[in-house]
Amino acid sequence: MSFNVKVLKAAHGDCILISGVFDDGIFRNILIDGGPSKAYEYRQFKGELFNELSKINKQQQVIDLLIITHVDDDHIGGLLKGFKNDGLLSLLTKKVWFNSGKLINEYFNQQENENLIVLNDSGEVGYTSIRQGVDFEEIIERKGIWDKNIIMASDIIHIFGIKFTFLSPNEDQLSKLLGKWEKEQPNSLTSSTHTDYDKTLLELIESDIFEEDNTIHNGSSLAFIFEYKNKRALLLGDARDSVIVNNLKKLLKLGESNRFDLIKLSHHGSKYNTSIEFLRIVDCDKYIISTDGSKHGLPNKVTLARVYSVKPMASIFFNYPNVIDSKIFKKCELEDLENKKFNILDGTIEF
């Protein structure tokens, strides 16, 4: 039995579709995030999420499980589009895992804070409550597809013969969503438009000092190990590096393997979410970065430098050709990079 992982073109966001026949003998589709709204539809143009959902519908299949890692527009915007006005997601989705504002507040037994904010489609910060969340919570609750269980690090869920082991968020990071999120300034860790492409990989490593993403919304991101039979993928959403590192260490002490067939790097290749320490812990030679390179100067070249300094024979997969064609590498680096494998995803990685 095999399954496919498709990293859909979702602009600067994440949208991952895992499909295959699992233990129950039924073909299953698991969707993780939905990118910004343009991943589903932008004006008269249909995005890859819409096209994939159309194929699923024509084949008389469903989205058996939808996982929302966190409430940033580049992960949830396309989902909201797909649910509104009886869209394809409204028709196809059977079960949802989502740490909503309401669920978080119920877990911590506190009053909901109407001043919480989420990112809107333009990338600006718009004041609205997580509870409202463009009505997403109400939609899935009304449809009766929401599995209302808070999910945190160390949770293990078995479904369809698949084992999900969660590494993020921890309770502390989740509880911070109960406080007001401060509006980020243009020079914040997640908002920079500056690239580091003017330096070589060697120069970046020689001057590298890791500084961690400190944003509350990324700290709340779900991240997990997807395990079926002997195949394991590590899907990190936008999770914080230290949370992932600490929880991987806990698993290793319990005798878990550090071997992964595939890792989707956190936060679109941001240098604030992938440390040398993390790369030394994991045993993997295939990494995915999901972004079109249009926002926040991502991916950071120093992230690529870190990967190759620790994993010199690794392959890095991108879901947009223009990211590789964006003059990340200097001419003097190209010969040295002959043995390094940069690949464009053709839409599917088969396991």
Side-chain angles (χ1 to χ4, degrees), residues 218-259:
N218 288 345
S220 72
S221 177
L222 290 175
F224 53 88
I225 300 169
F226 179 100
E227 188 171 357
Y228 180 68
K229 303 297 186 186
N230 62 339
K231 299 296 183 181
R232 306 173 87 227
L234 182 55
L235 305 174
L236 295 177
D238 284 0
R240 285 194 183 180
D241 182 85
S242 61
V243 174
I244 299 301
V245 165
N246 290 338
N247 285 302
L248 279 174
K249 287 179 178 178
K250 289 178 183 178
L251 288 177
L252 293 178
K253 286 182 180 179
L254 294 173
E256 291 282 342
S257 173
N258 69 336
R259 175 64 190 169

Side-chain angles (χ1 to χ4, degrees), residues 105-293:
N105 278 281
E106 288 176 353
Y107 177 83
F108 289 103
N109 195 27
Q110 296 190 28
Q111 293 293 319
E112 293 183 44
N113 184 346
E114 294 293 334
N115 292 320
L116 292 172
I117 61 176
V118 295
L119 298 184
N120 64 28
D121 195 48
S122 66
E124 298 298 327
V125 177
Y127 290 88
T128 181
S129 72
I130 291 180
R131 179 188 60 80
Q132 291 170 333
V134 200
D135 298 327
F136 187 72
E137 185 181 75
E138 285 89 344
I139 291 170
I140 59 176
E141 185 167 24
R142 185 172 64 249
K143 291 185 65 65
I145 57 177
W146 185 13
D147 187 354
K148 292 185 182 180
N149 291 301
I150 203 81
I151 300 174
M152 290 190 293
S154 79
D155 286 345
I156 297 175
I157 303 176
H158 294 268
I159 186 171
F160 314 135
I162 304 161
K163 179 182 178 182
F164 290 85
T165 303
F166 287 87
L167 304 177
S168 172
N170 59 30
E171 189 171 276
D172 178 62
Q173 296 303 321
L174 205 59
S175 70
K176 289 179 180 178
L177 285 176
L178 295 171
K180 184 177 179 180
W181 295 359
E182 297 297 330
K183 184 173 181 178
E184 294 181 359
Q185 300 301 315
N187 63 348
S188 74
L189 293 187
T190 59
S191 300
S192 175
T193 57
H194 173 72
T195 70
D196 54 1
Y197 303 161
D198 58 324
K199 296 183 179 179
T200 67
L201 293 169
L202 182 58
E203 288 171 336
L204 288 166
I205 281 295
E206 287 179 340
S207 62
D208 185 26
I209 299 174
F210 180 68
E211 183 180 0
E212 186 171 43
D213 179 357
N214 60 7
T215 52
I216 292 173
H217 47 287
N218 288 345
S220 72
S221 177
L222 290 175
F224 53 88
I225 300 169
F226 179 100
E227 188 171 357
Y228 180 68
K229 303 297 186 186
N230 62 339
K231 299 296 183 181
R232 306 173 87 227
L234 182 55
L235 305 174
L236 295 177
D238 284 0
R240 285 194 183 180
D241 182 85
S242 61
V243 174
I244 299 301
V245 165
N246 290 338
N247 285 302
L248 279 174
K249 287 179 178 178
K250 289 178 183 178
L251 288 177
L252 293 178
K253 286 182 180 179
L254 294 173
E256 291 282 342
S257 173
N258 69 336
R259 175 64 190 169
F260 297 99
D261 298 281
L262 179 70
I263 295 177
K264 201 289 294 186
L265 291 175
S266 179
H267 200 199
H268 324 292
S270 169
K271 64 183 178 180
Y272 303 108
N273 296 76
T274 300
S275 68
I276 291 287
E277 183 180 14
F278 164 77
L279 292 166
R280 285 174 176 163
I281 289 173
V282 297
D283 178 10
C284 183
D285 55 14
K286 290 182 181 177
Y287 298 84
I288 287 176
I289 293 176
S290 176
T291 184
D292 63 356

